[in-house]
């Protein structure tokens, strides 16, 4: 197992480099640019001044040389400084990272917790009215556009019935609250973005769990467990459910990229102070160092999540060994 983990960590290096190369080329080949977008509206700036600004930010060099300069700083854990406020990019990313992790981890827990419950109960009550209703509800959530549902919920629970906050992570008087009130305030701000993310992800998780449970319940070891007179609860949760978790672990690794990518949309809609909103603002101003910092951090989180999902196979199924 240790050799496998080391090998996977080494393989993450070329994958991460490939992601940074593609991202760097895309953001630099996009029409416009930091100097042009932010300075061309100022009629007092001459072309010579704009050229000097490009030289100041290193944007007058060829793209491959700019990437090598960025890579030489990246290996020293230096993402450079933001063009807009001259703050270190790593400082800005780490400042927003906890909010993004809070949103994504909470959404992931909700998706797999309720998805597993729906999948197990649907398998035990297969072809019943409950199974059909859960299937319809989950697939409606899966097919419904997330941004449209977000706008509907904002209109319903923030405008018509103002019971939930519409934007941000905390209220205006957050600093004046007690510890318990702060936790409750953050939880209220999490309700809408987490619900929308989880509602869209319940369908595929519950379907995988149901399929695995149905197959596990028809296996000979399950029949033998019933014949021995074991309690049905132990058969379901200790035997059938445990053996049907491998597809769910696969989804766990595959869901992380979608959640991180989707958080860019939700953080912008709900003004959530996370990496997604930071990347959006950076893209609007062509702040190249911040864009590279957020994308690289998101890629690291995604690769780490996939590695943890692969390692979890051995924890769930002892028959699996990495050689």
């Amino acid at each position: 197992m240790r050799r496998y983990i080391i090998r996977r960590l080494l393989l993450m290096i070329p994958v991460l480099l490939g992601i940074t190369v593609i991202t760097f080329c895309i953001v630099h080949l996009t029409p416009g640019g930091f100097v042009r977008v932010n300075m061309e509206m100022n009629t007092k700036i001459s072309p010579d001044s704009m050229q000097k600004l490009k030289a100041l930010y290193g944007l007058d060099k060829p793209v491959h040389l700019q990437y090598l300069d960025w890579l030489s700083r990246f290996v020293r854990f230096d993402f450079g400084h933001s063009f807009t406020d001259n703050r270190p990019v790593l400082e800005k990313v780490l400042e927003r990272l906890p909010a993004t992790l809070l949103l994504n981890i909470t959404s992931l827990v909700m998706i797999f917790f309720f998805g597993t419950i729906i999948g197990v109960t649907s398998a035990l009550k297969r072809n019943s009215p409950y199974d059909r209703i859960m299937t319809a509800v989950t697939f409606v959530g899966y097919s419904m556009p997330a941004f449209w549902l977000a706008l509907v919920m904002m209109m319903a629970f923030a405008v018509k019935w103002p019971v939930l906050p519409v934007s941000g992570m905390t209220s205006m008087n957050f600093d004046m609250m007690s510890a318990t009130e702060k936790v409750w305030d953050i939880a209220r701000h999490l309700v809408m973005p987490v619900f929308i993310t989880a509602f869209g992800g319940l369908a595929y998780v519950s379907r995988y769990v149901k399929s695995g449970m149905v197959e596990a319940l028809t296996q000979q070891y399950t029949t033998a467990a019933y014949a021995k007179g074991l309690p049905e609860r132990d058969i379901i949760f200790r035997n059938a459910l445990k053996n049907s978790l491998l597809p769910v672990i696969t989804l766990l690794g595959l869901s992380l990229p979608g959640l991180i990518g989707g958080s860019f949309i939700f953080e912008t809609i709900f003004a959530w102070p996370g990496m997604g909103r930071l990347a959006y603002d950076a893209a609007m101003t062509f702040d190249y160092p911040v864009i590279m910092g957020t994308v690289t951090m998101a890629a690291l989180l995604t690769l780490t999540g996939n590695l943890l999902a692969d390692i979890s196979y051995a924890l769930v199924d002892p028959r699996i060994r990495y050689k």
Side-chain angles (χ1 to χ4, degrees):
M1 175 66 74
R2 184 180 300 175
R3 294 179 60 186
Y4 172 79
I5 294 175
I6 294 174
R7 186 166 65 249
R8 282 295 305 271
L9 289 173
L10 293 176
L11 289 175
M12 286 171 57
I13 297 176
V15 175
L16 184 62
L17 288 176
I19 293 173
T20 59
V21 169
I22 295 174
T23 304
F24 198 91
C25 292
I26 290 176
V27 298
H28 280 75
L29 294 177
T30 304
F34 175 76
V35 174
R36 179 176 299 178
V37 170
N38 292 276
M39 303 299 176
E40 68 179 359
M41 299 303 294
N42 191 342
T43 57
K44 297 182 179 180
I45 295 182
S46 63
D48 292 338
S49 299
M50 292 183 66
Q51 197 64 31
K52 290 180 180 179
L53 285 174
K54 289 183 179 180
L56 177 63
Y57 293 116
L59 300 177
D60 58 336
K61 300 178 182 178
V63 174
H64 66 280
L65 293 181
Q66 293 184 46
Y67 175 76
L68 292 177
D69 291 342
W70 179 86
L71 187 62
S72 64
R73 295 192 303 270
F74 172 68
V75 296
R76 302 192 302 268
F77 299 99
D78 179 13
F79 290 93
H81 289 71
S82 173
F83 288 167
T84 56
D85 55 10
N86 203 34
R87 288 180 59 195
V89 173
L90 186 59
E91 178 183 321
K92 296 182 70 171
V93 172
L94 294 179
E95 187 181 88
R96 302 291 189 97
L97 184 59
T100 295
L101 290 179
L102 176 63
L103 177 60
N104 288 312
I105 292 176
T106 305
S107 301
L108 205 60
V109 170
M110 292 294 103
I111 288 173
F112 283 90
F113 178 75
F114 289 105
T116 301
I117 292 176
I118 294 174
V120 171
T121 53
S122 297
L124 296 176
K125 302 178 180 180
R126 188 170 41 159
N127 298 325
S128 66
Y130 170 84
D131 182 26
R132 295 188 177 93
I133 292 173
M134 287 295 102
T135 300
V137 171
T138 54
F139 274 96
V140 165
Y142 182 76
S143 59
M144 189 176 298
F147 67 90
W148 179 83
L149 181 60
L151 296 177
V152 171
M153 289 193 65
M154 291 170 69
M155 289 292 297
F157 298 106
V159 178
K160 189 172 183 179
W161 300 294
V163 294
L164 291 174
V166 68
S167 64
M169 182 177 174
T170 58
S171 301
M172 296 291 292
N173 59 338
F174 182 78
D175 294 333
M176 303 172 59
M177 298 179 181
S178 63
T180 304
E181 291 174 339
K182 288 182 179 180
V183 173
W184 174 246
D185 185 60
I186 295 175
R188 291 179 67 247
H189 284 80
L190 272 171
V191 170
M192 282 201 285
V194 168
F195 174 82
I196 293 168
T197 306
F199 191 44
L202 284 177
Y204 58 87
V205 174
S206 61
R207 292 300 94 189
Y208 271 93
V209 173
K210 178 186 175 182
S211 176
M213 281 293 297
V214 169
E215 182 179 357
L217 290 173
T218 58
Q219 297 297 317
Q220 292 184 356
Y221 62 83
T222 305
T223 305
Y226 275 109
K228 291 179 181 178
L230 295 177
E232 185 177 13
R233 182 175 181 179
D234 293 343
I235 296 173
I236 293 173
F237 292 102
R238 291 186 179 181
N239 297 329
L241 179 59
K242 187 175 181 180
N243 286 280
S244 62
L245 284 180
L246 286 178
V248 178
I249 294 176
T250 304
L251 287 176
L252 179 63
L254 296 176
S255 298
L256 192 59
L259 281 178
I260 294 177
S263 67
F264 282 56
I265 301 174
F266 298 132
E267 289 179 10
T268 302
I269 294 176
F270 292 103
W272 187 264
M275 287 189 353
R277 188 181 176 192
L278 178 64
Y280 175 80
D281 294 338
M284 293 296 99
T285 57
F286 289 87
D287 195 345
Y288 300 133
V290 175
I291 296 174
M292 291 300 301
T294 53
V295 171
T296 303
M297 186 62 69
L300 282 172
L301 293 175
T302 301
L303 294 174
T304 303
N306 290 332
L307 176 61
L308 293 177
D310 290 341
I311 295 174
S312 299
Y313 280 122
L315 299 178
V316 174
D317 192 346
R319 298 172 297 176
I320 296 178
R321 293 293 182 267
Y322 295 105
K323 298 182 180 179

